[in-house]
Amino acid sequence: MVTHENRILPFQPIHTMPYSEYQVIGRKLPTEKDPSPKIYRMRIFSKNEVIAKSRFWYYLSQLYKLKKSNGEVLSVNEIHDKSPKRIKNFGVFLRYNSRSGTHNMYKEFRDLTRVGAINQLYNDMAARHRAREKSIQIIQIEEIPASKCRRASTKQFHTDKIHFPNPHRVRKVVKRDRVVFARTRPTTYRL
């Protein structure tokens, strides 16, 4: 919640995704030799448009002889998922720099959106490998069907007989019987 002058503002969502997916389109500056240079497009996950443009120039300078001083960004658009209410499996190919070298990796996540899967990826890489956001390069992310999933952590959700037990149930007390201080603790086992 955001507070302003000791007031709580209700319009700020409690949980927001820190990353968004951006489509950045850019090219080399036109010259007399090359009046219509080749246009490059990248889909980049970042926290805002400024960082997305920065990562765009970082990748272009690695892949081609092109940098921000002799290029221009034509457009930056945020990409939204087509079906954000359906659970999907995502396979992510990535490369990251550790303290000992550069490693390629494949990971799978279940989420509603691509951005949610990438959010899980950054958290997972930070926890398991101490990899920071700057050292992770996402090569490819794709939605994969259940039959193509490789990881056991993803496959365990693909059965029809899956159950999520609720071991801690607190019975709702009728309003007339409710008290602030009760003599006994509530029974939370299955009744």
Side-chain angles (χ1 to χ4, degrees), residues 10-191:
F11 57 82
Q12 181 68 23
I14 294 170
H15 175 72
T16 56
M17 289 279 181
Y19 298 98
S20 299
E21 186 176 8
Y22 293 96
Q23 173 182 276
V24 185
I25 301 172
R27 67 175 183 175
K28 193 174 183 178
L29 284 170
T31 57
E32 289 179 10
K33 254 187 192 179
D34 191 10
S36 58
K38 190 175 180 181
I39 295 174
Y40 300 98
R41 179 179 72 94
M42 283 190 190
R43 293 175 79 158
I44 294 174
F45 294 93
S46 69
K47 293 182 179 177
N48 55 43
E49 286 185 16
V50 176
I51 297 171
K53 286 193 275 189
S54 172
R55 297 304 282 173
F56 173 76
W57 289 119
Y58 170 76
Y59 291 127
L60 272 190
S61 65
Q62 282 190 335
L63 296 168
Y64 308 102
K65 197 174 179 181
L66 190 60
K67 57 185 183 176
K68 187 179 177 182
S69 62
N70 61 6
E72 64 180 348
V73 172
L74 300 176
S75 72
V76 180
N77 304 321
E78 188 173 350
I79 300 171
H80 299 285
D81 225 308
K82 289 175 184 169
S83 55
K85 293 185 179 179
R86 185 174 61 86
I87 191 80
K88 298 173 274 292
N89 305 308
F90 292 100
V92 184
F93 292 92
L94 65 122
R95 177 170 60 210
Y96 80 100
N97 296 321
S98 70
R99 295 182 184 112
S100 58
T102 305
H103 311 281
N104 293 320
M105 194 177 282
Y106 171 77
K107 284 187 166 288
E108 285 180 358
F109 300 99
R110 275 176 69 79
D111 209 290
L112 296 170
T113 61
R114 291 164 56 98
V115 175
I118 293 300
N119 194 28
Q120 282 186 49
L121 169 81
Y122 280 130
N123 289 337
D124 188 61
M125 292 298 292
R128 293 179 194 269
H129 304 282
R130 302 292 186 267
R132 307 296 185 263
E133 179 192 351
K134 284 282 186 184
S135 65
I136 299 170
Q137 296 179 10
I138 298 161
I139 297 166
Q140 184 183 358
I141 176 171
E142 57 187 3
E143 185 182 330
I144 50 177
S147 59
K148 298 274 176 107
C149 288
R150 306 180 201 173
R151 304 290 185 253
S153 60
T154 312
K155 284 182 179 178
Q156 69 182 346
F157 294 104
H158 295 161
T159 177
D160 294 334
K161 297 177 181 176
I162 191 166
H163 293 287
F164 297 97
N166 185 1
H168 183 75
R169 292 180 189 199
V170 179
R171 293 181 80 187
K172 191 159 178 128
V173 181
V174 185
K175 194 164 189 175
R176 65 180 171 80
D177 295 336
R178 242 180 252 165
V179 291
V180 178
F181 300 106
R183 287 188 313 226
T184 57
R185 289 170 178 244
T187 54
T188 60
Y189 55 85
R190 186 171 285 232
L191 300 172

